[in-house]
Amino acid sequence: MDMKVAKKKLGMKERYRALTRDLGWEPSYQSKDALFPYVKYEGIKVHDWDKWEDPFRLTMDAYWKYQAEKERKFYAIIDAHAQNNGHLNLTDARYLSALKIFLQAISPGEYAAHKGFSRAGREFPGVGTQVACQMQAIDEIRHAQTQIHAMSNYNRYYDGFHAFVDARDRIWYTSVARSFFDDAMSAGPFEFMIAIGFSFEYVLTNLLFVPFMSGAAYNGDMATVTFGFSAQSDEARHMTLGLECIKFMLEQDPDNLPIVQAWIDKWFWRGFRVLGLVSTMMDYMLPKRVMSWREAWEIYGVENGGALFRDLARYGIRPPKGWDDAEKAIDHMSHQFMLGLYQWSFGTSFHSWIPPEEDMDWLSAKYPTTFDKYYRPRWEHIKKLKAAGTPFKNFGLARLCQCCQLPSVFTEPDDPTMICHRETVYKGEKYQFCSDGCKDIFEHEPEKYIQAWLPMPALFREFGGDVPAWMDWVGLRDGSDNGDYDGSRDQKHFNEWRNLATSNR
Amino acid sequence: MAVTALKEYIGVPRDSIEHFGGKQIVYASWDHHLLFASSLMMCLPIDMPFGEMVNGPLTALVAPDPDSAALDWKKVEWMKDNKPFTPDFSKSLAENGIGHKDQIRFHTPGLNSLLKVA
């Protein structure tokens, strides 16, 4: 006999509703304001949280299934890489400098993003928002873990990988990325979403992950390619979430526009400054280069960024304030920054080097208006100093920018022969900056940035200028982790092992 | 309010002078001499004479530049707070009005070996 059985399984749509919107109960013995105390002070007005659409409508059970599948593939490839001495398939061990910077500066950023999204998921009242933030929080911790696991294999063979956690907190160049996240995490939940969802995911992911992963593939680093692929599908979701948040704020109330615009101005510039490290990686650190920093900027900055701002123009958003200054810096920043990294390489937990002649020719071709005119003469002089047995080390430590914390290596937007000097006095104390963009950010919220822990002053404030003691503290082993690649242990080992792998010697 | 916060919030400056044990930070930059990627940072006694700073740490730091041999400290044009400034070499940094985290610049027209300046 046929009996009509009650439907046991919920459809996708019903399941989504049950796992998200049904969680949004009305509080009875506490006020909403008491439950969500951080959602109003930034000035963003929200009238209807249900208008927040989560673009992916992913439920937790589906999420676990997808991510578990990706993890299985990821760890299978990482195992194969380790067992087959994958590190000897690299084009050259110089490539590892890019990887070391990534591990010291960016992977801990993924972990920071995880903490931030856990917090944002708690602080937003809307259920769609809470669920989206929760998933992104899990994604971010997964990215930190997979990156660390993928790169841990290199730590067995090469210097500079062992102390990335200490480096993240203490060494000078990583404080750029660290301060970016500290700034975001000490802001309110809406600003956090712009900082990470817009700046980190949109501005940085395109220009960091895409060229970085192609660079890894070009240079034979399958471990890194694998974590790149594993993260890529998450990134698409994150970018959509960031954009959804911007649109939601702009659609909820016209008063939100100036606040959102100011955040876009600020976080574009902060993101652009973090990209300083990426530009050196693309133009100098990849033995086999994918494209120049200028070419990457054209595709991912000008084209993709331009399309984004055309899309947001209907809400009244204009391109970020620092956009023109950024464009003027593109043909200079990688050279200015790499020259800095080389002369301060006694204090870096990775190697740098004088570009070989063929690299310089490539740079002249990619930067026809700037490299030969401004930068090649400096490299040639540095080469001469090295040949004379007096390699150039700049023991005048750098003036750091109070906002982005980068050494102030950048020149005036319209004069590449003059360092950009900007300063201000707040409550009787002097502060120095690398650019108008960073000075503006400081002057908007000085009470925040006067507390910045700047690594260079800290070397004198906390160590009385004792560089060896500082090296111990940051986990930098003098003579092996730092200095010129030419003559380093990494160079020696890579060449020996590769010879063993590819010949009978 | 000087920071977006729930209630009044006062920050504490991290690098104020009392943390530097009687010394102060001074930044120096040689205009158009970009072999040095950034301004040079020095941590110096507040009562150090200006001339001692110039002939000591500053001279040592700029030595790698090919123009350093031709550098005549008595002839350079000085700036402080990005404005022209005439230091007294025999007086201390403090007496010259050079405070903690101040930046001085020096300009040497005609000395441009590594960088063509328009």
Side-chain angles (χ1 to χ4, degrees):
Chain A
M1 172 172 91
D2 287 345
M3 279 183 65
K4 198 155 171 96
V5 189
K7 207 166 118 198
K8 274 186 190 150
K9 279 195 171 173
L10 296 174
M12 284 284 276
K13 227 176 159 183
E14 293 158 301
R15 220 165 56 219
Y16 174 75
R17 173 151 282 280
L19 285 166
T20 57
R21 296 298 195 262
D22 283 2
L23 297 173
W25 62 82
E26 282 300 314
S28 53
Y29 57 91
Q30 284 286 353
S31 70
K32 275 214 153 171
D33 282 347
L35 271 183
F36 302 106
Y38 303 110
V39 80
K40 288 186 178 157
Y41 81 93
E42 297 171 275
I44 294 291
K45 293 177 185 159
V46 176
H47 304 290
D48 182 3
W49 277 99
D50 282 336
K51 289 272 164 33
W52 180 294
E53 291 295 335
D54 9 350
F56 282 79
R57 297 185 191 286
L58 201 57
T59 56
M60 231 354 127
D61 54 344
Y63 175 84
W64 293 128
K65 196 166 147 266
Y66 294 141
Q67 300 299 65
E69 182 58 28
K70 286 199 290 189
E71 295 280 272
R72 271 194 294 278
K73 285 182 186 154
F74 170 78
Y75 283 101
I77 297 174
I78 294 299
D79 275 355
H81 179 261
Q83 286 172 26
N84 293 311
N85 284 321
H87 67 105
L88 296 180
N89 293 329
L90 296 178
T91 45
D92 189 72
R94 279 183 299 162
Y95 163 80
L96 295 171
S97 281
L99 213 53
K100 292 171 195 178
I101 296 177
F102 192 97
L103 180 65
Q104 294 166 27
I106 305 298
S107 301
E110 305 266 17
Y111 183 73
H114 147 72
K115 288 203 290 187
F117 276 102
S118 305
R119 196 206 74 184
R122 171 64 187 83
E123 290 180 359
F124 281 127
V127 177
T129 332
Q130 290 169 352
V131 172
C133 287
Q134 183 188 12
M135 282 183 200
Q136 183 156 353
I138 302 169
D139 286 343
E140 301 291 2
I141 200 170
R142 196 178 76 87
H143 295 176
Q145 287 170 340
T146 50
Q147 287 168 19
I148 292 162
H149 284 163
M151 286 184 263
S152 66
N153 189 46
Y154 292 104
N155 181 41
R156 288 191 229 166
Y157 304 104
Y158 301 101
D159 292 322
F161 285 97
H162 64 287
F164 73 95
V165 177
D166 282 341
R168 186 261 175 186
D169 286 338
R170 299 172 178 182
I171 219 163
W172 52 280
Y173 46 92
T174 58
S175 74
V176 179
R178 179 174 58 82
S179 85
F180 178 99
F181 281 98
D182 286 353
D183 192 348
M185 288 164 71
S186 52
F190 283 108
E191 188 183 343
F192 175 81
M193 292 298 284
I194 299 277
I196 309 301
F198 161 72
S199 177
F200 192 65
E201 303 291 352
Y202 244 102
V203 182
L204 288 167
T205 298
N206 273 330
L207 275 157
L208 174 68
F209 278 80
V210 181
F212 191 84
M213 295 316 150
S214 337
Y218 254 50
N219 288 281
D221 178 8
M222 290 324 287
T224 297
V225 173
T226 309
F227 81 60
F229 277 138
S230 176
Q232 206 56 52
S233 52
D234 300 341
E235 302 298 353
R237 188 152 35 82
H238 300 171
M239 286 162 76
T240 317
L241 176 61
L243 197 57
E244 178 61 33
C245 180
I246 294 181
K247 291 182 174 173
F248 175 72
M249 287 188 269
L250 295 170
E251 282 167 2
Q252 282 292 313
D253 200 291
D255 289 353
N256 294 342
L257 176 64
I259 306 176
V260 172
Q261 181 71 57
W263 286 337
I264 286 181
D265 290 346
K266 168 182 173 182
W267 287 99
F268 166 74
W269 191 252
R270 294 227 61 181
F272 185 69
R273 276 297 183 241
V274 176
L275 286 170
L277 285 165
V278 182
S279 69
T280 58
M281 179 201 90
M282 297 197 65
D283 282 342
Y284 285 87
M285 292 185 186
L286 298 182
K288 195 169 154 71
R289 287 173 291 277
V290 182
M291 59 173 82
S292 68
W293 162 247
R294 157 55 80 187
E295 289 161 336
W297 173 254
E298 290 294 335
I299 299 171
Y300 302 106
V302 177
E303 282 179 33
N304 294 5
L308 170 68
F309 289 112
R310 276 192 297 280
D311 184 26
L312 290 175
R314 67 193 147 108
Y315 298 103
I317 291 286
R318 49 157 179 73
K321 197 160 59 175
W323 188 265
D324 293 340
D325 282 355
E327 171 56 37
K328 287 175 186 168
I330 297 298
D331 293 330
H332 299 278
M333 58 197 283
S334 66
H335 317 299
Q336 295 173 344
F337 207 67
M338 190 67 184
L339 279 154
L341 291 177
Y342 183 78
Q343 60 196 260
W344 297 307
S345 71
F346 53 89
T348 61
S349 206
F350 58 87
H351 300 297
S352 43
W353 52 87
I354 299 167
E357 208 54 40
E358 62 188 74
D359 286 16
M360 291 220 238
D361 293 343
W362 183 88
L363 290 164
S364 313
K366 294 294 181 186
Y367 295 94
T369 59
T370 60
F371 186 74
D372 284 353
K373 190 172 175 192
Y374 301 112
Y375 304 103
R376 195 193 273 257
R378 284 177 232 171
W379 283 119
E380 297 291 356
H381 180 67
I382 290 172
K383 212 155 106 177
K384 244 191 286 173
L385 290 175
K386 187 177 171 183
T390 52
F392 179 34
K393 292 179 182 181
N394 183 352
F395 290 111
L397 302 177
R399 184 189 78 197
L400 301 183
C401 174
Q402 187 75 26
C403 176
C404 72
Q405 305 201 5
L406 275 166
S408 309
V409 297
F410 306 106
T411 46
E412 288 287 350
D414 294 308
D415 182 2
T417 72
M418 186 64 92
I419 294 266
C420 190
H421 300 292
R422 296 291 182 276
E423 55 182 53
T424 197
V425 175
Y426 179 72
K427 292 187 176 171
E429 193 82 16
K430 180 71 69 79
Y431 298 95
Q432 304 282 346
F433 305 94
C434 72
S435 57
D436 290 318
C438 280
K439 182 166 177 263
D440 286 351
I441 294 168
F442 175 94
E443 286 179 339
H444 183 62
E445 290 189 286
E447 291 293 336
K448 187 171 196 174
Y449 300 99
I450 59 173
Q451 306 174 59
W453 185 87
L454 296 178
M456 299 285 179
L459 173 55
F460 292 102
R461 194 185 59 229
E462 293 167 28
F463 291 92
D466 182 343
V467 174
W470 171 84
M471 284 182 174
D472 280 348
W473 184 68
V474 299
L476 192 162
R477 296 167 307 192
D478 190 25
S480 48
D481 296 331
N482 56 357
D484 199 318
Y485 177 73
D486 188 25
S488 67
R489 282 212 308 196
D490 275 4
Q491 182 193 41
K492 183 171 162 282
H493 285 161
F494 181 76
N495 292 341
E496 274 177 18
W497 295 331
R498 175 116 96 188
N499 271 338
L500 286 174
T502 57
S503 72
N504 296 310
R505 275 168 287 166
Chain B
M1 198 162 31
V3 67
T4 307
L6 276 174
K7 51 188 182 226
E8 198 191 7
Y9 181 91
I10 305 290
V12 179
R14 176 91 54 172
D15 288 324
S16 46
I17 193 160
E18 65 272 17
H19 300 295
F20 290 83
K23 293 184 175 178
Q24 68 175 35
I25 287 181
V26 178
Y27 300 104
S29 181
W30 188 357
D31 279 1
H32 305 300
H33 284 70
L34 298 180
L35 177 67
F36 311 107
S38 170
S39 293
L40 306 160
M41 178 179 172
M42 295 173 284
C43 189
L44 307 168
I46 298 161
D47 54 6
M48 177 184 262
F50 188 87
E52 204 174 298
M53 171 191 77
V54 167
N55 295 316
L58 196 51
T59 297
L61 287 172
V62 300
D65 193 283
D67 291 337
S68 62
L71 181 59
D72 182 351
W73 289 111
K74 298 286 173 198
K75 283 188 188 155
V76 309
E77 298 163 13
W78 295 95
M79 290 177 104
K80 189 177 89 72
D81 304 329
N82 297 318
K83 290 181 203 96
F85 157 73
T86 311
D88 183 332
F89 277 53
S90 62
K91 289 194 168 152
S92 72
L93 298 175
E95 287 162 337
N96 271 294
I98 298 170
H100 181 48
K101 294 183 283 172
D102 271 354
Q103 147 128 335
I104 47 173
R105 287 166 53 185
F106 50 105
H107 190 62
T108 52
L111 284 184
N112 298 312
S113 304
L114 291 180
L115 190 60
K116 294 285 166 274
V117 177

